[in-house]
Amino acid sequence: MMLTQHKSLTQKSLYLAVMLALPAANAIAEEKTAEAAPQQTLEEVKVQAGAVKEVSGYQATKTRVGKVLQDPQDIPQAITSVTHDLMHDQQVSSLRDALRNVSGLTFNAAEGGRGGDNFNLRGFYTFGDIYLDNMRDTAQYYRETFNLDQVDVLRGSAAMLFGRGQAGGVINQVTKLAKLEDKNTVTGSLGSYDYHQFTGDFNKKLGETTAIRLNVMDRHEENYRKNPTTGDRPETDRQGIAVSFGTGIGTDNEFYLNHVYTQTRDVPDFGIRFGSNKRPINTATLNDKTFWGTNSNFDDSETQVTTGIFTHKFSEDTQLRTQIRHADYKRAYWAQTPSAVRPTATGTGTIDTVPNPDVVTLSNGNVTRRSDYETNSIQSDFSTKFEAAGMKHQFLGGFEYLKEDSSRQALQPYNATTGQSYGNLTNTNANNNALSSAIAVNGVFYKKNSGIGTLSEFTADNYAVYMQDTIEFVKNWDLLVGLRRDEMKADYSSTRTTHLNYGENSYRTGLSWHQTPDSHYYVSYSDSFSPTADLYQLTAAPLPPERSKTVELGAKWLFLDGDFSFRTALYRTTKDWERNTDLETPPSNAVLTKKRRTDGLEFEVAGHLTDNWEVFGGVAFMDAKILEAAENISSTNTKIFADPRFEGQRARNTPTATLNLWTTYSFLGNWKVGGGVEAKGERYGYVPSQTVAQTSTSTGTFNAGRFNPNTLPGYARVDAMLAYEQKKWAVRLNVKNLLNKVYYDSLYDNGGFSTPGNSRTAILTTEIKF
């Protein structure tokens, strides 16, 4: 405990020192700038003559989410790009917070099986659809933004571009790369609930075409929820370091070597239960402020991703881009689930303190797991432009290979006094190493790096080839056609079907009309598929794979000389044989729905309305319904049918409308004020595969003969920002949840619990550039 307190005090002192030192450091930097002004002025004039203008602001003008570098305005599919400047102004630190800017997206609270970043897009989950620089990054962990330049969300089915996946869309993180310039930025932040963060972005030009970039991050924060017995709060404690080395930058042979390491040491929060009224429990002694966990809970992860990127340009219009990656994701966690009983010092269903701060008596449920997921992958894309038969072509072809090696297991308990193993562990040494220390629950220690019970292992070889052509068959009219073939060969250790050999085609097509250079109208079709085992969820007997398809009609416009963009999309996405995402689900409950659909309408704006006024916002309307109830197979090969009354009901965790808006205005030269709102309608949580017998009770989903699921109320969260910015330094105040509203941020879609968002939080940041 003393070590923990000392570490906390040291961190706070460090952050306070940084906050106080940055303005002084800036003054020194400005003095040095003034002394070197004549020489730097001459060099700057020379460089600017041949420099490429760096795009900034809330409007993205480049993306690789379509496999090749292009303007998102030209892609016949809806895209939302969250830029670095937008994340910067909002004081965004995690991928989760960055995605608050994406309309039609909601957050899932996972009960163990899908802990980590877990989202719904257009009403469909996105597990398996998170990427880092267009390569799979589907492990279960929490992602930070300190090393991201941009986050691109390609909406709709996208298997032709990315392989097996889901119906909602693809979330692609774009890494910061080394640049040919000397530029450094350091920030220090302090805020409510022990918030403190330090980030550094250091870029150094090493030669005419060589540079290196280093990004670092250290962040800690808590929230307003508290265990009434121990006083413990949920905690986020994360660190990261990333290096990008580039050579041949801007030449015909360009190579980058990137490595990112992130570490989490969180105290996880599983939220609160729903009451008998089908709303989150809210009484004088049991409400959103109640935290059931303690500091003994942990969610520890270590993630390392190394990527090499080589691009060879045969000409200005023809290039070959190849990426090779090794990634290793280690994670261990033990979380305390909430109950309908308030944590108190004594009594049944309580949390009791004992002299040993690492040992607590817990009556509620425990979720434990250790996992190790390792991938090796290669991806190569060839793109070119040419003319044939009097028509212009933009051709893309490529291949991918992905090797997956995954294992997971419940944590190993053993008797701390006798050393007697409850499984196969007899080591009683509980040391302080993060991934090998021990925590005691009910007098039983859980070893963080040791498992018990059936070891669930998964290895797979994934192969894919694909090609796509965009043909301008008439002036200003383009036809896009694409085809992909995926093959997966997988082996499992703890399922009925121990081997899977699966192959599937994916298609993508679109018709575009570019009426003017600033307008684009399109209609597109795309599909996606996912074999059962792709989600590590095998059925008791073979059933068809998940399959989804999206039809979209959209338009994109540019206004104000291209500084302001507006897009809209009308779409229909249908998914067949939807699978459960909870890893603990038995095979007889693996299929959630046989068919469901989302019809939606979206609007989005981004860019400058004036030189001083910038806006980013979106609104999404979604009609998500179950069309056919689930069909499963029991262990005795008997068909199990879900309650047909689910048909026609709204899908889980899918509000009918969402809204996000953020705007800033610069005034008096150096001042900037901003604010925004994130709003979501009410959301449902329930198990759509329940049978009639399971849902016929007075407390079931169908209460008194009507659909009555657990329901989260809609909410609107308001944020604000005020900044003073100089060329070399800045000070910024962000206030999140300005009106201090109680709102429920994420939902466990089976309906068990929800996690409230944080209360009003103020963050003061000082930034220096040199």
Side-chain angles (χ1 to χ4, degrees):
M1 181 65 77
M2 291 297 294
L3 288 174
T4 303
Q5 292 176 346
H6 176 73
K7 179 183 177 184
S8 178
L9 289 172
T10 302
Q11 285 182 332
K12 291 179 182 178
S13 300
L14 173 62
Y15 286 101
L16 183 59
V18 170
M19 295 284 286
L20 295 174
L22 287 183
N26 175 70
I28 296 173
E30 287 183 338
E31 288 179 8
K32 291 183 178 181
T33 301
E35 293 173 2
Q39 179 182 359
Q40 288 187 344
T41 301
L42 290 174
E43 290 181 354
E44 187 175 6
V45 170
K46 180 179 179 180
V47 171
Q48 284 181 343
V52 177
K53 180 182 177 181
E54 184 174 316
V55 177
S56 60
Y58 301 164
Q59 180 188 356
T61 59
K62 295 294 181 183
T63 178
R64 281 194 182 274
V65 77
K67 287 289 189 183
V68 295
L69 189 63
Q70 60 191 135
D71 190 327
Q73 291 290 120
D74 295 332
I75 298 176
Q77 206 163 332
I79 296 175
T80 298
S81 292
V82 181
T83 66
H84 177 268
D85 282 5
L86 180 59
M87 293 186 283
H88 171 273
D89 286 352
Q90 294 177 339
Q91 188 62 23
V92 163
S93 300
S94 65
L95 176 64
R96 177 193 177 93
D97 278 346
L99 293 177
R100 294 185 186 278
N101 295 290
V102 178
S103 61
L105 184 140
T106 55
F107 302 118
N108 293 319
E111 190 172 356
R114 292 295 177 203
D117 287 328
N118 195 328
F119 316 110
N120 269 20
L121 182 61
R122 288 184 169 180
F124 302 95
Y125 55 82
T126 59
F127 180 80
D129 293 317
I130 301 179
Y131 288 76
L132 179 64
D133 297 321
N134 284 36
M135 302 183 81
R136 283 188 179 273
D137 182 43
T138 56
Q140 301 166 40
Y141 73 106
Y142 293 99
R143 296 158 178 82
E144 298 292 294
T145 58
F146 74 100
N147 192 44
L148 298 184
D149 253 340
Q150 188 167 299
V151 178
D152 293 320
V153 178
L154 178 68
R155 299 164 183 266
S157 308
M160 187 267 129
L161 290 171
F162 291 92
R164 66 189 195 276
Q166 312 307 320
V170 167
I171 299 169
N172 183 49
Q173 309 160 87
V174 182
T175 295
K176 292 179 179 178
L177 297 177
K179 298 180 179 180
L180 295 176
E181 61 180 350
D182 291 340
K183 184 177 181 181
N184 308 287
T185 304
V186 176
T187 70
S189 303
L190 289 174
S192 311
Y193 301 110
D194 202 22
Y195 181 102
H196 44 272
Q197 176 174 272
F198 171 82
T199 67
D201 185 350
F202 310 98
N203 195 96
K204 178 67 177 177
K205 182 179 178 182
L206 302 177
E208 288 299 316
T209 66
T210 304
I212 191 169
R213 188 171 186 174
L214 173 69
N215 276 271
V216 295
M217 175 274 300
D218 186 356
R219 178 167 68 94
H220 178 273
E221 62 179 306
E222 299 177 8
N223 70 33
Y224 77 110
R225 304 184 65 230
K226 183 170 65 175
N227 185 306
T229 300
T230 65
D232 296 336
R233 300 178 186 270
E235 292 184 23
T236 297
D237 193 356
R238 301 173 186 176
Q239 295 79 39
I241 183 170
V243 180
S244 174
F245 171 79
T247 188
I249 299 173
T251 70
D252 290 343
N253 292 284
E254 189 176 70
F255 176 74
Y256 287 97
L257 181 62
N258 305 321
H259 178 78
V260 58
Y261 168 84
T262 56
Q263 171 186 285
T264 68
R265 297 293 184 262
D266 295 352
V267 176
D269 182 5
F270 270 41
I272 64 174
R273 292 283 178 184
F274 286 84
S276 58
N277 64 347
K278 300 302 185 92
R279 301 295 188 273
I281 294 174
N282 184 21
T283 67
T285 58
L286 193 67
N287 50 49
D288 60 284
K289 299 181 180 65
T290 309
F291 173 51
W292 274 262
T294 74
N295 285 341
S296 294
N297 295 146
F298 60 86
D299 189 341
D300 293 354
S301 71
E302 293 180 0
T303 300
Q304 300 193 65
V305 181
T306 304
T307 309
I309 308 173
F310 177 70
T311 304
H312 174 68
K313 294 182 180 178
F314 298 93
S315 67
E316 189 64 30
D317 295 328
T318 305
Q319 69 173 28
L320 178 66
R321 190 171 191 266
T322 301
Q323 297 186 96
I324 300 176
R325 171 173 295 170
H326 172 75
D328 188 17
Y329 311 87
K330 288 182 170 63
R331 189 175 180 207
Y333 60 86
W334 165 57
Q336 179 67 23
T337 58
S339 74
V341 180
R342 182 175 184 266
T344 57
T346 59
T348 304
T350 64
I351 296 179
D352 301 324
T353 58
V354 293
N356 185 344
D358 282 337
V359 182
V360 292
T361 302
L362 299 165
S363 64
N364 302 326
N366 302 310
V367 178
T368 70
R369 173 162 300 132
R370 58 163 291 277
S371 62
D372 191 352
Y373 180 58
E374 187 173 325
T375 65
N376 292 286
S377 52
I378 181 171
Q379 174 180 298
S380 191
D381 297 313
F382 174 78
S383 60
T384 186
K385 297 179 181 179
F386 62 93
E387 289 193 20
M391 295 180 288
K392 296 180 180 179
H393 296 256
Q394 299 179 51
F395 177 80
L396 167 69
F399 73 90
E400 294 178 10
Y401 169 73
L402 170 66
K403 174 69 174 182
E404 297 175 276
D405 191 347
S406 174
S407 66
R408 59 182 176 85
Q409 203 172 20
L411 295 187
Q412 169 72 64
Y414 68 99
N415 189 296
T417 302
T418 65
Q420 178 65 43
S421 171
Y422 292 128
N424 55 12
L425 179 69
T426 57
N427 178 19
T428 61
N429 178 29
N431 57 59
N432 290 321
N433 293 331
L435 285 175
S436 60
S437 60
I439 296 295
V441 186
N442 292 335
V444 177
F445 275 83
Y446 283 89
K447 192 77 171 177
K448 291 187 182 180
N449 67 341
S450 301
I452 188 175
T454 303
L455 179 66
S456 178
E457 293 180 301
F458 168 90
T459 60
D461 293 287
N462 306 269
Y463 309 86
V465 293
Y466 47 88
M467 61 181 63
Q468 174 183 283
D469 194 10
T470 302
I471 308 164
E472 186 181 34
F473 59 95
V474 177
K475 184 175 177 59
N476 298 332
W477 285 85
D478 295 337
L479 176 64
L480 181 150
V481 289
L483 170 66
R484 178 183 179 116
R485 179 68 180 183
D486 280 272
E487 295 282 343
M488 184 177 80
K489 302 179 186 299
D491 292 290
Y492 305 87
S493 64
S494 59
T495 60
R496 287 175 173 269
T497 305
T498 59
H499 181 73
L500 183 70
N501 190 343
Y502 192 90
E504 190 78 6
N505 293 334
S506 303
Y507 306 92
R508 182 180 186 227
T509 186
L511 179 65
S512 296
W513 177 40
H514 301 272
Q515 182 186 21
T516 69
D518 293 334
S519 62
H520 178 195
Y521 305 90
Y522 66 89
V523 59
S524 65
Y525 168 86
S526 57
D527 67 357
S528 286
F529 74 96
S530 174
T532 311
D534 185 45
L535 295 178
Y536 312 101
Q537 191 63 266
L538 286 177
T539 51
L543 287 172
E546 284 189 340
R547 189 89 208 189
S548 63
K549 56 190 176 191
T550 300
V551 178
E552 183 173 295
L553 177 66
K556 303 179 181 184
W557 296 277
L558 292 175
F559 300 99
L560 304 176
D561 295 324
D563 288 339
F564 186 78
S565 64
F566 173 69
R567 74 161 185 85
T568 184
L570 178 68
Y571 67 88
R572 166 169 285 186
T573 298
T574 305
K575 170 173 274 194
D576 298 321
W577 297 98
E578 178 188 19
R579 292 307 200 272
N580 203 316
T581 63
D582 193 332
L583 298 179
E584 310 306 327
T585 300
S588 60
N589 197 28
V591 175
L592 289 173
T593 61
K594 192 173 180 180
K595 181 186 289 289
R596 74 178 179 94
R597 172 180 295 161
T598 300
D599 292 326
L601 176 64
E602 299 168 346
F603 301 94
E604 188 173 273
V605 296
H608 282 92
L609 289 171
T610 69
D611 289 342
N612 295 332
W613 184 14
E614 194 164 13
V615 175
F616 186 94
V619 61
F621 302 98
M622 295 177 288
D623 180 19
K625 291 183 178 179
I626 296 173
L627 301 183
E628 295 184 38
E631 177 183 321
N632 279 289
I633 298 179
S634 70
S635 57
T636 59
N637 274 339
T638 302
K639 285 189 177 182
I640 305 172
F641 297 97
D643 192 326
R645 290 177 293 178
F646 282 116
E647 296 179 359
Q649 304 298 342
R650 192 201 307 174
R652 305 180 302 170
N653 202 8
T654 306
T656 55
T658 74
L659 168 71
N660 61 279
L661 177 66
W662 177 263
T663 182
T664 56
Y665 187 81
S666 301
F667 62 101
L668 298 179
N670 301 106
W671 288 91
K672 180 189 284 188
V673 64
V677 60
E678 175 208 358
K680 291 178 172 61
E682 70 173 16
R683 291 167 282 163
Y684 295 157
Y686 59 94
V687 181
S689 56
Q690 288 178 329
T691 64
V692 175
Q694 292 173 309
T695 60
S696 60
T697 66
S698 60
T699 58
T701 303
F702 290 93
N703 185 351
R706 63 183 181 87
F707 185 59
N708 188 23
N710 287 338
T711 303
L712 283 186
Y715 71 87
R717 187 186 102 166
V718 176
D719 298 338
M721 181 271 286
L722 179 66
Y724 183 80
E725 300 176 340
Q726 292 281 358
K727 183 177 181 181
K728 293 293 184 178
W729 63 275
V731 177
R732 184 176 66 255
L733 175 65
N734 290 86
V735 182
K736 302 185 179 184
N737 194 6
L738 177 68
L739 304 180
N740 203 29
K741 296 291 187 180
V742 175
Y743 70 99
Y744 296 91
D745 192 40
S746 57
L747 170 68
Y748 180 49
D749 51 15
N750 278 354
F753 60 89
S754 171
T755 307
N758 207 356
S759 61
R760 183 189 296 121
T761 305
I763 302 172
L764 181 65
T765 301
T766 303
E767 178 180 275
I768 182 171
K769 301 177 181 179
F770 57 96

